[in-house]
Amino acid sequence: LRKHLIKTKKLEVVEQMGAAISHEIRNPLTAANGFVQLLLEDNVNTSKTKEYLSLVKGELESAERVIQDYLTFSKPAMTEVEELNVKHELSHVLAIIQPMANKNSVEISVNFAAVGFIAGDRQKFRQCFLNVFKNAIEAMPSGGRLTIETQFTPSRVIVLVADTGIGMTKDQLERLGEPYYSTKEGKGTGLGMMVVYSIVRAMKGTLKVESRNGGGTTFHFSFPSRKDNRL
Ligand code: ADP
Ligand code: MG
């Protein structure tokens, strides 16, 4: 019975996620489609054409951001638990984010413990850190440093992610992870951190965030090590 209950609960979460994603992607696509329809009408002058095209572009970018925050790595309906080498997985995500860091003059420093294995879904783990790294880089519009450190104890694997960015106010920090909460006017989904928290929860991990307005942010993740979280 217990097992059954857990399964039902998980399915619910997956279904909610699925519904939210298709809703969030369908809205901008429907809007884009509407503007294309207007473009196809007969008497559209050049300036109107430009205006509609730029609206279409904005809507497509919006759909793309939602896909990036949710689906870069994973099909949300699938959860596969395997043994993950934390250092290995973080390096993989860092390689993907490196071009974005370069573009923003963000230097990446790593300090990885030699070992550290956890049990979890590889794709979701990568999605989680992609979202966190992306936010960190976006918080440093005029450059800075992104530091990633791992620590290993027999029962936990710790991941620290620190940036030297704009930081958050107390109010912003409190709202972190709330669906659709974003300070990136028109350029954010407000879904990235919600995804992060839900992945951390699914992996039986914890996340603490420290931030100072104007003084950077540190994310403190702790996951049960593989032995303590049964493969
Ligand atoms: P989005 O990035 O689309 O705005 P997220 O859910 O990823 O949505 O983040 C929500 C909000 O949390 C961001 O808009 C930003 O205000 C804040 N935030 C997240 N990470 C950081 C960070 N490293 N530094 C400062 N603010 C952050
Ligand atoms: Mg984000």
Side-chain angles (χ1 to χ4, degrees), residues 49-122:
T49 302
K50 279 244 162 86
E51 187 193 331
Y52 292 151
L53 281 175
S54 106
L55 290 166
V56 168
K57 185 164 187 285
E59 297 298 339
L60 293 179
E61 281 166 356
S62 170
E64 198 182 14
R65 276 195 296 272
V66 174
I67 290 170
Q68 194 176 33
D69 279 358
Y70 268 116
L71 300 170
T72 300
F73 292 114
S74 62
K75 303 188 193 76
M78 302 261 232
T79 299
E80 244 178 79
V81 177
E82 1 174 14
E83 178 181 270
L84 307 179
N85 179 335
V86 169
K87 176 179 166 181
H88 203 103
E89 296 307 322
L90 292 175
S91 302
H92 181 90
V93 181
L94 282 174
I96 289 170
I97 210 88
Q98 188 69 58
M100 186 186 171
N102 294 345
K103 220 175 97 191
N104 288 264
S105 311
V106 168
E107 246 189 85
I108 299 179
S109 307
V110 296
N111 187 9
F112 288 149
V115 279
F117 288 93
I118 60 174
D121 180 305
R122 186 186 309 280

Side-chain angles (χ1 to χ4, degrees), residues 2-57:
R2 216 175 106 81
K3 196 159 191 174
H4 175 75
L5 277 177
I6 292 168
K7 216 170 189 178
T8 311
K9 184 96 193 149
K10 263 197 194 144
L11 258 175
E12 251 171 50
V13 172
V14 166
E15 275 163 16
Q16 278 169 15
M17 281 270 276
I21 301 167
S22 52
H23 177 80
E24 288 318 307
I25 296 172
R26 190 174 295 131
N27 277 352
L29 291 183
T30 303
N33 204 11
F35 293 124
V36 169
Q37 193 55 48
L38 289 174
L39 277 167
L40 287 172
E41 278 166 17
D42 285 338
N43 39 19
V44 212
N45 61 37
T46 316
S47 91
K48 272 283 168 220
T49 302
K50 279 244 162 86
E51 187 193 331
Y52 292 151
L53 281 175
S54 106
L55 290 166
V56 168
K57 185 164 187 285

